[in-house]
Amino acid sequence: MADEVTSSVIAMRKWLDNPLSRGMLKFIAKDDGCGNRLSIALDYYLGKQVDACWKCRLAGRIVKTTMGAGESAFNIKDEDVKNALSQLPFKKGMVNVLQGIAMYGVTMPQKVYAPILVVWDCTHACNLKCKHCYQNAQKKLSDELSTDEAKTMIDELSESGVVAMAFSGGEPLMRNDFFELAKYAHDKGLYTALATNGTLITKDLAHKLKELDVGYVEVSIDGKSAATHDAFRGSPGMFDKSIQGLKYCIDEGIYTCMATTITAYNLQEVPEIYGLACSMNVPRMITFNFIPTGRGADMSEGDITPEERESILTYLFNKNYDGNTEVLSTAPQYARIALKREGISIGHFMTLKGVDSMALPLMEFIGGCGAGRHYCCIRPNGDINPCVYMPIKVGNIRNDRLLDVWHNSPLLEKLRDRSGLKGHCGTCENKYICGGCRARAYAYFGDLDAPDPGCINNKGYKAEKDIRTIPGPSTVKRST
């Protein structure tokens, strides 16, 4: 089976990356008078009536052949692909990936044409003071994007081919124009998501989110009860409000996620937090890596040890087999752990139950840390960062075109090249599936290529020169 997988992947790479195929993809990726030729070609593949010029119809036949080759190589059912492509976000993502192959060829990890996801930290204002806040959010900044500037940004994201836009913060619901901007983003064809502390979500507000087709709401819950959660959030009574906000979203039928940042202070409660998610019928639980940046730099001693991370990620991954609540993680090591049990995952950010082992090589193209590869962050003032946890400015949306930054930033290019990774990350057989969290490498060592100190394979690593003096994970008193 391994030889069959390898030969299929090699054949697919050669087919996609030869000059003739890339020439065809470049032809398909062009826009013309009919619109986005690649999008039209995918409609042709889906069997839709396409009223277009001969070039677009030819592009459709080429795409149909290409999709068939990919399905055969990875043993994916044509019906499953067509069902996925019938959903606009997935279709836009496919256009994005094929445009990336047309521009860059087949790369490992694969370079995409535009960010698939842009997280907009839309305000610095927040009604809480969370200990681990990466933004150190407090009050609104004087130079935050105005409503008109935000709409201009949204126009650009849509035109660039960005698939999804997540409103984050601070607390996004503290922007008076949040609903106006969320509607504007949706009307521009962007899949819209909201990351919130949940305390401001009322029944009426949840209904309004549903009416605006906000597709995904992520509510932060950092403890099994008020004792732990409220200690994180810096204010009493927040646990009950967050849980109620979560319930309102579930009741409205919004795809809702419970998000938990795992630290030494809530590690022992994670099974009970998962149990809480299950009891509430939350569709998804996602666990965040703790990264000592922003306000979180003041509690770096609260990071868990590599052994603890390995254990809790293994526990959480196995829960995907037990219940209806899907469990994901921002820790790239999660994908490595997934390899121990085939048939459920193609990355730390995506689970597909029943995936055939032939599809696992796809992880090498899409897996691992997505900072500057699949997504980027825009700060309240328009600064563009590779990741919300990586405060490195690579441009500003007020002055720089997003695609110019995406394609020309030396720092983003560095994040897409794993040949320079240090420690075990550089030699690991899973470096294209995992590669370690680059934000953690930067936070602990000031070096984007440094190994992720949260992985058990990097135990004992010491940078030649610690640019930052943040201490590594240490043992602290665990919650009970």
Side-chain angles (χ1 to χ4, degrees), residues 19 54 78 81 102 125 211 226 237 278 280 290 401 405 416 446:
W54 70 268
D78 180 69
V81 175
E211 284 186 327
C278 292
M280 294 176 62
F290 167 71
R401 185 169 171 262
V405 174
R416 298 163 190 164

Side-chain angles (χ1 to χ4, degrees), residues 362-377:
L362 283 172
M363 294 169 69
E364 293 189 335
F365 294 96
I366 66 175
C369 179
R373 291 184 47 243
H374 291 152
Y375 93 100
C376 66
C377 162

Side-chain angles (χ1 to χ4, degrees), residues 306-354:
E307 293 87 353
E308 289 170 334
R309 179 170 283 101
E310 189 78 5
S311 176
I312 197 62
L313 290 180
T314 301
Y315 167 84
L316 289 168
F317 180 79
N318 288 332
K319 287 299 177 182
N320 281 296
Y321 293 90
D322 295 342
N324 294 324
T325 298
E326 176 186 47
V327 187
L328 304 181
S329 176
T330 63
Q333 294 85 7
Y334 199 64
R336 170 176 55 76
I337 289 170
L339 288 178
K340 298 176 182 178
R341 294 189 68 169
E342 292 184 356
I344 191 168
S345 175
I346 59 172
H348 66 289
F349 50 83
M350 184 187 302
T351 59
L352 297 176
K353 294 183 179 180

Side-chain angles (χ1 to χ4, degrees), residues 48 126 205 244 264 318 324 349 364 387 414 436 440 478:
K48 297 181 179 180
C126 190
L205 192 147
Q244 186 60 67
N318 288 332
N324 294 324
F349 50 83
E364 293 189 335
C387 169
K414 183 179 179 67
R440 284 178 59 82
R478 268 51 174 168

Side-chain angles (χ1 to χ4, degrees), residues 127-180:
N127 59 326
L128 303 182
K129 194 173 182 180
C130 304
K131 292 181 179 179
H132 52 310
C133 178
Y134 62 79
Q135 197 188 115
N136 195 16
Q138 299 176 54
K139 297 180 180 179
K140 177 182 176 180
L141 301 176
S142 60
D143 60 348
E144 292 184 2
L145 297 182
S146 67
T147 301
D148 288 342
E149 287 176 319
K151 288 182 176 179
T152 299
M153 175 189 70
I154 290 168
D155 288 339
E156 185 175 346
L157 299 188
S158 177
E159 293 164 5
S160 298
V162 173
V163 177
M165 176 182 177
F167 290 81
S168 188
E171 174 48 55
L173 296 176
M174 291 190 71
R175 272 195 73 121
N176 294 330
D177 57 0
F178 167 77
F179 287 105
E180 179 181 354

